[in-house]
Amino acid sequence: MGRGVPAHVHAEAVLSALLEARPAGLTIAQLMSATERTRAQVHTGLAHLRKVAAAKCLPPVTWDKRWGYRMLDDAPEVWIGYEQAFFETVHHRVANFIAGTLLPHQKKTPNDPYIRTVMAQMGAIESTLQLLANLE
């Protein structure tokens, strides 16, 4: 496959491979083999597929260490597990950004209205992500 192939072409190949493998999943290496595409092309296809899945009435694309990438029609527990793992990852990144960048800024200029607003908003974002990651 040459350079410049549109993302939707890679997405169609990835979709075909994932639907054929159901209910099992496929690793990146297996997707590369099944679609005859490079790692980057598979990632491009996955990203595009995730963007258009709902519009095409497709199930969400999920990933986990055990199964790899999957598209399951009726598996809310799988979807929720993937979503919670995503929220946990984003929460971790936000918490590190607050601790490593925003707090030092706040210590240098504690009365700056900009940093006070940013800290208030980022605190709300962090707590929301933590709640979503641990929702039962």
Side-chain angles (χ1 to χ4, degrees):
M1 200 65 23
R3 291 176 50 85
V5 175
H8 74 275
V9 174
H10 299 310
E12 288 298 324
V14 169
L15 173 61
S16 177
L18 289 174
L19 292 178
E20 190 174 315
R22 282 193 305 189
L26 296 172
T27 65
I28 284 291
Q30 290 168 327
L31 278 169
M32 289 168 58
S33 177
T35 61
E36 297 180 347
R37 283 166 169 72
T38 66
R39 181 177 298 272
Q41 290 168 332
V42 168
H43 281 293
T44 297
L46 284 165
H48 186 77
L49 184 55
R50 282 189 165 132
K51 287 179 188 175
V52 301
K56 292 185 174 189
C57 297
L58 295 169
V61 178
T62 60
W63 179 88
D64 66 38
K65 288 180 182 179
R66 181 174 178 207
W67 293 98
Y69 290 94
R70 296 191 288 177
M71 294 183 79
L72 300 174
D73 285 319
D74 189 24
E77 68 284 351
V78 173
W79 306 336
I80 290 169
Y82 178 76
E83 292 159 0
Q84 287 180 323
F86 173 82
F87 294 136
E88 173 124 8
T89 299
V90 175
H91 172 256
H92 183 72
R93 292 187 70 186
V94 167
N96 285 343
F97 179 70
I98 291 170
T101 303
L102 297 179
L103 283 175
H105 179 173
Q106 184 182 37
K107 285 183 180 179
K108 292 284 186 187
T109 57
N111 296 323
D112 179 12
Y114 167 80
I115 195 62
R116 288 176 39 204
T117 301
V118 168
M119 288 300 290
Q121 295 301 312
M122 291 303 290
I125 291 168
E126 181 186 15
S127 97
T128 299
L129 290 168
Q130 186 172 27
L131 173 72
L132 292 172
N134 296 309
L135 207 59
E136 293 292 327

